[in-house]
Amino acid sequence: MMPSARAGRPLLMAMLFLTGSAGAGDPALVLEATIPLPNVGGRIDHMAVDLAHDRLFVAELGNGTVDSIDIARRKRSGRITGLKEPQGIGYLPARDMIVVASAGDGSVRLYAGATLMPAGTVDLGDDADNVRIDTATGTVLVGYGAGSIAVIDPARPAKIGDLPLRAHPEGFRYDVSAGRLYVNVPDRQQIDVLDRGTGRQIAAWSSPDMRSNYPMALDGAAGRIAVGYRSPARLVEMKAADGTVTGSIPLCDDTDDVSFDAKRSRYYVSCGEGAVDVINRTPDGLVHRDRIKTASGARTSLFVPELDRLFVAARAGWFGGDAAILVFRPAS
């Protein structure tokens, strides 16, 4: 049974109260909408977007579900159930197919976008995590296990290759034009660079004073990556060619997602402490533009440049109320 609108009001009111700017002057982000997620408990992980059908897919790890959100109507339109700790999620527009990677059973499950019905399973065995789409080949890249990125052909579906690593991969990005993968490997305190064609590691970058590198953003046009560290909490930007650091700045605590806004030359970094840091790239380096309050535990986000919107996932409150997706519009 779905809860009434009244049941969701405590969270909605709390979100409107909590969300604001901690910086001076006009805020960099404005809360445009709060989309309630009824009957979603526990941690929420990553998101993916289907632009053709105006849908957002949300991996609800603690709930064992994936929700399909109608962005225009600002409500849930469907749900996938029976998953074991869904973490990574991707969308294949050419096939209208959703890809879900689950930590609990190591599976990668595919679903038809139109119906949300199962379309195949690939068993990776352990801790299937972040998902990326190789737009050049139509294959799916999934980090998993003690150290590997699986290459999956969704047409079969089957694993057709492995890109080996020395420890479990967290956030990673694929630069199609350069043929390189940049992979956060926090257990080794480093960023591994892989050649997509050969599958071999061609570089490893690290800093002895930086730990827990989880999220990563890629600005392929400028040839830079940005890595979010949790200990200490910093955003570090570097040249994708050789790892040379081009900027470093303190962050909010417990970051899990970072996105680059090319239009405004800025990063959005979402943190579990209950904030999004907005960091501008300027000729003088990285500059903290604003800190937008969200809600405790809201550490995952997705910036969609085609919609010019930042989606932030807020888990349900400890004392009741719904989970929600906060929709932010860049304002300056």
Side-chain angles (χ1 to χ4, degrees):
M1 178 178 178
M2 297 291 289
S4 66
R6 181 181 297 273
R9 287 187 64 188
L11 179 77
L12 295 176
M13 295 303 293
M15 290 301 175
L16 292 173
F17 177 77
L18 285 170
T19 304
S21 173
D26 295 333
L29 295 168
V30 173
L31 181 66
E32 183 177 75
T34 300
I35 304 173
L37 298 177
N39 300 326
V40 175
R43 183 177 136 203
I44 300 176
D45 221 319
H46 299 294
M47 293 175 277
V49 69
D50 167 14
L51 292 170
H53 304 99
D54 205 24
R55 294 182 297 178
L56 181 74
F57 302 112
V58 185
E60 296 152 350
L61 182 147
N63 212 50
T65 53
V66 166
D67 272 349
S68 173
I69 306 299
D70 185 317
I71 297 172
R73 297 175 64 196
R74 296 175 179 171
K75 63 184 295 185
R76 180 167 61 207
S77 58
R79 169 171 281 187
I80 298 168
T81 62
L83 299 167
K84 295 183 178 181
E85 300 181 10
Q87 296 190 110
I89 189 163
Y91 179 72
L92 293 158
R95 297 182 176 275
D96 188 21
M97 183 175 287
I98 307 156
V99 183
V100 183
S102 295
D105 60 4
S107 69
V108 176
R109 298 181 184 274
L110 290 78
Y111 297 88
T115 63
L116 304 186
M117 295 299 293
T121 301
V122 178
D123 184 11
L124 298 182
D126 180 47
D127 199 8
D129 201 339
N130 282 271
V131 174
R132 297 285 179 260
I133 307 301
D134 182 341
T135 55
T137 63
T139 55
V140 179
L141 306 174
V142 182
Y144 77 100
S148 193
I149 294 176
V151 182
I152 294 173
D153 180 354
R156 301 187 187 182
K159 184 175 76 169
I160 59 173
D162 261 314
L163 307 177
L165 299 159
R166 294 183 181 179
H168 179 75
E170 289 293 339
F172 68 95
R173 298 289 174 176
Y174 177 38
D175 187 338
V176 176
S177 60
R180 286 182 163 193
L181 282 91
Y182 303 92
V183 187
N184 277 326
V185 187
D187 287 348
R188 296 186 64 85
Q189 298 177 226
Q190 66 188 34
I191 300 152
D192 286 353
V193 184
L194 307 181
D195 182 285
R196 175 69 176 90
T198 65
R200 296 179 180 176
Q201 179 177 315
I202 56 177
W205 307 325
S206 63
S207 172
D209 299 324
M210 307 294 290
R211 294 176 174 82
S212 299
N213 49 315
Y214 282 84
M216 179 187 292
L218 169 69
D219 177 8
R224 299 188 190 185
I225 64 171
V227 175
Y229 288 87
R230 295 180 184 172
S231 181
R234 296 189 73 87
L235 183 72
V236 177
E237 185 186 65
M238 58 192 72
K239 292 181 180 179
D242 58 12
T244 300
V245 172
T246 57
S248 178
I249 193 168
L251 280 182
C252 44
D253 288 332
D254 191 27
T255 179
D256 204 47
D257 267 320
V258 54
S259 301
F260 183 69
D261 179 349
K263 179 179 177 180
R264 299 169 183 87
S265 192
R266 65 170 49 153
Y267 295 100
Y268 303 118
V269 189
S270 54
C271 298
E273 77 164 63
V276 171
D277 271 351
V278 181
I279 296 171
N280 289 349
R281 179 200 288 159
T282 75
D284 297 322
L286 299 180
V287 175
H288 192 273
R289 166 66 178 82
D290 207 349
R291 176 164 291 179
I292 306 297
K293 297 178 183 178
T294 56
S296 179
R299 67 181 194 167
T300 55
S301 61
L302 177 69
F303 179 66
V304 182
E306 296 87 351
L307 302 177
D308 203 27
R309 295 296 184 271
L310 176 72
F311 299 94
V312 179
R315 61 185 296 169
W318 296 109
F319 303 105
D322 293 335
I325 300 297
L326 309 181
V327 185
F328 288 96
R329 171 177 53 82
S332 61

